[in-house]
Structure formats: C-alpha cells, structure tokens
Amino acid sequence: MDAVRFFSFLAAVSIAMNIGAQETPSSPYGKEFVRHTMTVDDFRLSYLYRSGEGIPLVLIPGSFSDSAQWVEVVDGLDPKLPLVLIELRGHGGSWPPDPNGSIELFARDVLRSCDDCNISDFYVGGHSIGGMVAIEVGRAASERVKGIISIEGWTNHHAAREAFDGVMRNTLTEELEAERIASRKRVLAHWTEEQVKTFATHWRQWDGLEFLQITKIPVLEIYGDRGKPKPTLDKLYIPERDNISVVWIENACHSLPLERPRRLAELTMEFIQNRENRSAKSTESHQ
C-alpha cells in the first residue's frame, strides 16, 4: 500500500475505533467490496466480498492483521476474480477475540463465510496463521477446495525454528517495518495483553503434516528465503509430492504480503490459471 493510501486508511480506522471496539472498521477497498457480518454464538464474524467471474479466491490474513493486509496483493490480481477477504475473530470487523480459538475453529468460520455468500467451490489462501487455516479448510472441506495457497503458513510450530532459526523480518526496510508495527497496533487497539498472549498460542496446537501427506488437492507453498541458503523441505515439514509446489522468493522474509505483494499476486494468478486450464482440458477429454 502506498504511504498516502495507508495512512488515510489508518486515520479512518482510528475514528471508527474511538467509537468503540464493537464498531466495524472502515475498508481500504473500493465500493466493489461489500462488508458482510454474521453472528455465531456471541461472536461477530466479518468479511469483505467482491463478486466476479469464475471460481472465487478466499484470502485469510496472518496473526494480528486484518483484510487490509491484502490491498496491494489484490491490486495485482485479476479484477474480475471473485474474492472473499476473511477477518479472523478479534481482527478487523470480527469481534471479540475467542479465548478458545483454534485453527480448526477459524477454518469453520471461513466455511461459514463462504456459505453466507453462497460460494460452493473455491480456492483458499492465507499468510502465516492464515496459511495454516487455509490448509485446515482443505482438510475440513476437501470436496469444495480447488487449491490451497499457503504463504509462510507453517505445517507445525517446529518449522519456523528448524527451517529459519526463528528469523522472521531480517529483510524488511525501516519503512516497511514501521508500516508493519503501525498495522499491528491498529488491529490490537482494543485487545488486552492476555488476549494477545492467548491468540499467539493457537498455531502451536495444530499440525497439518498428515493432511499434506495424503491430500490430492493442489497446494502451493510460498516462502521467503531470508537472503540465506534455502532449508530442505523436511525442515519445513512439507512432504515431496506431485501435487505440492514450493516457490521461494529471494531476499524476502516472513512478511511477504507487505514486502512482495506483486510477486504474490503473480504466483497466485499463475496457480489458479494453471489449475483452471487443467480442469478445462480434463473436461474436454471426457466429452
């Protein structure tokens, strides 16, 4: 997001947040995106939806980020592509944080959002915890998911340490790091310390390796190499299988939607187009 657009968005959200934590924040997207909300138990779930042509793409942001994380990625996607931008519980328009949250619960929320806007089949992608949720959505609804895009979405909590020694942001410029911190502060404006600590444990209680070892769903795994030698896939807990592709973005780190949004958009569109082309050829061969 360019500086003017980003700080204009922060100002709009600050006004909304001053009204109260229950206020739905403004959207940095155009009028083609419509905010939808629903109530599940005592929680408000919120997402942004853009109608379009073809199979929709569902995007899930990382921890302590909301739908604004995808602004520059969305700018690089096909403008006709239907999009669902999820906001996890406690993030953006979804409130409050859930003390009993889990990757599995968030995956169910994604499916509730898809059902709410009458989406049957879809591609699903996410960053960090969002990538884990995307994988879990594939496990929970394999008959609906056409493909999974996991952007630095660890298969389990060991991967970050074993693959990268915990290095997450070593390639960010000072400007991008300041933008990351400002976005995090905005999202967490009404969280308590305890809520932050609790949410930060959710990803450690999940493991997607068994699913990746057996699923037939096409999976695209995207990682930044931190400007260092690439770790082996076993350190990332990613099995070597024909339906799983791993793409490395050089001299980039964990914050890929912030650091390399255009490249993410390119890889995402290539993945979807390749899958749709194969599906069309398969349909033709059976006619």
Side-chain angles (χ1 to χ4, degrees), residues 119-140:
I119 289 175
S120 54
D121 299 341
F122 54 90
Y123 291 91
V124 61
H127 170 245
S128 193
I129 196 173
M132 303 174 206
V133 175
I135 292 171
E136 183 61 32
V137 169
R139 181 182 353 225

Side-chain angles (χ1 to χ4, degrees), residues 35 38 46-49 57-62 65-68 70 83-89 91 94 106 109-114 124-125 133:
R35 182 173 289 278
M38 69 184 94
S46 185
Y47 65 92
L48 296 175
Y49 176 59
L57 169 64
V58 179
L59 290 174
I60 309 161
S65 297
D66 56 16
S67 57
W70 300 112
L83 287 173
V84 181
L85 306 181
I86 299 294
E87 294 184 322
L88 298 178
R89 297 186 183 208
H91 300 70
S94 297
F106 300 148
D109 288 344
V110 171
L111 293 171
R112 289 185 179 106
S113 299
C114 291
V124 61
V133 175

Side-chain angles (χ1 to χ4, degrees), residues 181-230:
I181 292 172
S183 177
R184 178 186 171 99
K185 285 182 178 178
R186 171 179 57 79
V187 172
L188 295 180
H190 293 277
W191 289 53
T192 66
E193 253 184 67
E194 187 61 31
Q195 286 172 328
V196 173
K197 288 179 181 178
T198 298
F199 189 90
T201 67
H202 296 332
W203 69 286
R204 295 181 176 276
Q205 301 164 22
W206 176 84
D207 193 306
L209 180 58
E210 181 180 357
F211 172 70
L212 290 180
Q213 290 172 330
I214 63 172
T215 183
K216 295 181 180 179
I217 299 173
V219 179
L220 174 62
E221 297 264 8
I222 305 174
Y223 284 89
D225 69 1
R226 278 73 170 163
K228 300 180 178 183
K230 301 175 182 65

Side-chain angles (χ1 to χ4, degrees), residues 6-7 172-184 258:
F6 177 71
F7 287 107
L172 286 181
T173 64
E174 289 184 8
E175 182 181 4
L176 289 179
E177 176 64 2
E179 187 173 327
R180 185 193 70 82
I181 292 172
S183 177
R184 178 186 171 99
L258 177 64

Side-chain angles (χ1 to χ4, degrees), residues 15 32 53 58 82 144 147 158 190 204-205 228 240 248 273:
I15 293 171
E32 68 272 20
E53 301 174 7
V58 179
R144 300 175 64 178
H158 299 292
H190 293 277
R204 295 181 176 276
Q205 301 164 22
K228 300 180 178 183
E240 294 191 32
W248 292 95
Q273 288 165 357

Side-chain angles (χ1 to χ4, degrees), residues 136 150 214 278 281-282 285:
E136 183 61 32
S150 179
I214 63 172
R278 290 184 186 182
K281 289 180 181 178
S282 176
S285 67

Side-chain angles (χ1 to χ4, degrees), residues 15-36:
I15 293 171
M17 288 303 187
N18 286 334
I19 299 173
Q22 296 292 335
E23 188 75 16
T24 301
S26 302
S27 166
Y29 298 92
K31 292 182 179 179
E32 68 272 20
F33 280 88
V34 178
R35 182 173 289 278
H36 293 246

Side-chain angles (χ1 to χ4, degrees), residues 143-190:
E143 73 286 354
R144 300 175 64 178
V145 176
K146 304 273 286 183
I148 298 168
I149 304 163
S150 179
I151 304 165
E152 294 257 337
W154 316 112
T155 306
N156 63 48
H157 72 278
H158 299 292
R161 183 185 68 254
E162 294 187 19
F164 301 113
D165 293 325
V167 175
M168 294 291 108
R169 292 181 285 276
N170 65 317
T171 61
L172 286 181
T173 64
E174 289 184 8
E175 182 181 4
L176 289 179
E177 176 64 2
E179 187 173 327
R180 185 193 70 82
I181 292 172
S183 177
R184 178 186 171 99
K185 285 182 178 178
R186 171 179 57 79
V187 172
L188 295 180
H190 293 277

